[in-house]
Amino acid sequence: MPDNLADVQVGIGLPNAVRGVDRRGTVEWARRAEAAGFSSLGTIDRLLFPSYESLIALTAAAAVTERIKLVTDILIAPLRWNTALFAKQTATLNHLSEGRLELGLAVGGRQDDFQLSGIDFSARGRIFERQLEELGSLWSSDRVAPASRPGLLIGGASDAAYRRAAQYAEGWTLGGGPPEVFKERYPKVRAAWEAAGREGEPRTMALFYFALGERAEEDAREDLLDYYGFLGEHAQGVVDSAAKDETTIQRYLAGFEEAGVEEVICFPTSIDPEQVDLLARAVR
């Protein structure tokens, strides 16, 4: 999927961070996504918000699916500062799902998430570096869980993020933004990849928000202003950038394909599983 965009994989996000998310918006959503042929199910991550925790939501999805990948895009790794426990949780999910987990990790940018956790916001980069150093050895042994290494991508738009992607991961995820932003940032990812002596090309991923159907405008506005309200007046820009019709979805996917992105995850702004079928029709 889709037939007319054969060079880009299309995934769909779980509505784990849409206010009001429930079992139907997780379990039935996951079943429909796999039946529709989407490449992956994605989650986004916040702590100080009434969302479903990403790894638990993906575990529920894993239990009712067999083939679809399970992706965090992204997970705020330093909030899981106990690296051994984090390694155990992620290795367990990857093992249970028979190798379907791909972790997109980043440092996070919301200070209130860290305050609630009692973690020094200014130390998050150092915590993340330590985690990345330790995770590989923990996943490759059976000290804390069955040996099972998930796929790994690094998100972020800093030189440190590009370096981490080249040093520790299979690639880089844009995390948010139009194809033009990917084109602007990818040369820096590629330069870091070459500087680290990595062969081949880094794996790449991007995302955008969508809303379809009669309530598309309302769903996008209500959800994204709620979730991104901390951005102030800039939150409206997130609303405006959401794809609210089939033409825009197809244009975004074509743009990411042209930019060379391997996989694009379309994140919903509604918990209604009918959005899965609407998106499937839009991308075919």
Side-chain angles (χ1 to χ4, degrees), residues 67-172:
R67 300 176 304 279
I68 195 167
K69 289 186 303 179
L70 312 166
V71 178
T72 63
D73 194 23
I74 53 79
L75 194 75
I76 306 172
L79 293 179
R80 286 90 175 166
W81 58 270
N82 184 330
T83 307
L85 178 58
F86 182 42
K88 188 180 189 77
Q89 291 168 328
T90 50
T92 299
L93 175 51
N94 194 50
H95 197 265
L96 277 171
S97 66
E98 299 182 317
R100 288 187 283 148
L101 179 62
E102 186 166 38
L103 292 173
L105 303 180
V107 296
R110 288 292 307 277
Q111 190 165 358
D112 53 1
D113 284 337
F114 286 83
Q115 288 173 337
L116 187 61
S117 298
I119 298 172
D120 182 359
F121 182 71
S122 65
R124 69 195 191 285
R126 295 190 297 275
I127 294 171
F128 193 30
E129 292 277 352
R130 173 182 57 79
Q131 290 178 305
L132 291 170
E133 289 284 350
E134 296 175 2
L135 282 170
S137 62
L138 288 166
W139 283 331
S140 63
S141 73
D142 60 359
R143 287 186 293 157
V144 297
S148 187
R149 186 191 188 284
L152 183 60
L153 301 176
I154 302 297
S158 66
D159 290 341
Y162 308 142
R163 174 183 55 78
R164 290 165 184 150
Q167 185 173 355
Y168 298 105
E170 285 78 69
W172 174 74

Side-chain angles (χ1 to χ4, degrees), residues 234-247:
H234 297 293
Q236 184 59 46
V238 182
V239 176
D240 295 340
S241 70
K244 308 177 190 71
D245 55 65
E246 293 187 359
T247 299

Side-chain angles (χ1 to χ4, degrees), residues 9-280:
Q9 294 180 311
V10 182
I12 185 171
L14 282 170
N16 74 299
V18 178
R19 191 180 292 271
V21 64
D22 56 12
R23 176 183 172 83
R24 182 169 178 262
T26 304
V27 172
E28 182 179 343
W29 189 289
R31 289 188 178 120
R32 289 196 189 196
E34 180 163 87
F38 286 104
S39 61
S40 61
L41 280 165
T43 57
I44 53 179
D45 201 35
R46 280 271 298 278
L47 182 60
L48 191 56
F49 193 82
S51 52
Y52 276 1
E53 197 279 328
S54 294
L55 296 177
I56 293 176
L58 289 176
T59 300
V64 297
T65 58
E66 297 290 338
R67 300 176 304 279
I68 195 167
K69 289 186 303 179
L70 312 166
V71 178
T72 63
D73 194 23
I74 53 79
L75 194 75
I76 306 172
L79 293 179
R80 286 90 175 166
W81 58 270
N82 184 330
T83 307
L85 178 58
F86 182 42
K88 188 180 189 77
Q89 291 168 328
T90 50
T92 299
L93 175 51
N94 194 50
H95 197 265
L96 277 171
S97 66
E98 299 182 317
R100 288 187 283 148
L101 179 62
E102 186 166 38
L103 292 173
L105 303 180
V107 296
R110 288 292 307 277
Q111 190 165 358
D112 53 1
D113 284 337
F114 286 83
Q115 288 173 337
L116 187 61
S117 298
I119 298 172
D120 182 359
F121 182 71
S122 65
R124 69 195 191 285
R126 295 190 297 275
I127 294 171
F128 193 30
E129 292 277 352
R130 173 182 57 79
Q131 290 178 305
L132 291 170
E133 289 284 350
E134 296 175 2
L135 282 170
S137 62
L138 288 166
W139 283 331
S140 63
S141 73
D142 60 359
R143 287 186 293 157
V144 297
S148 187
R149 186 191 188 284
L152 183 60
L153 301 176
I154 302 297
S158 66
D159 290 341
Y162 308 142
R163 174 183 55 78
R164 290 165 184 150
Q167 185 173 355
Y168 298 105
E170 285 78 69
W172 174 74
T173 176
L174 174 62
E180 294 75 21
V181 173
F182 179 88
K183 290 180 181 180
E184 174 187 326
R185 295 178 183 171
Y186 181 71
K188 299 177 182 179
V189 177
R190 193 68 184 83
W193 196 259
E194 293 176 355
R198 299 288 296 270
E199 296 182 355
E201 296 290 329
R203 172 158 163 69
T204 53
M205 185 177 290
L207 69 85
F208 65 85
Y209 289 101
F210 80 94
L212 292 169
E214 295 180 356
R215 281 187 47 85
E217 291 286 347
E218 293 88 343
D219 286 341
R221 183 175 62 253
E222 291 172 9
D223 173 60
L224 296 173
L225 288 181
D226 183 27
Y227 193 77
Y228 288 102
F230 67 93
L231 293 175
E233 63 183 17
H234 297 293
Q236 184 59 46
V238 182
V239 176
D240 295 340
S241 70
K244 308 177 190 71
D245 55 65
E246 293 187 359
T247 299
T248 304
I249 286 172
Q250 293 163 2
R251 176 168 57 83
Y252 279 180
L253 291 174
F256 281 119
E257 180 195 28
E258 191 273 333
V261 178
E262 289 184 41
E263 184 168 16
V264 180
I265 302 183
C266 311
F267 273 93
T269 59
S270 165
I271 64 172
D272 185 356
E274 290 296 324
Q275 291 291 307
V276 178
D277 301 323
L278 291 172
L279 182 64

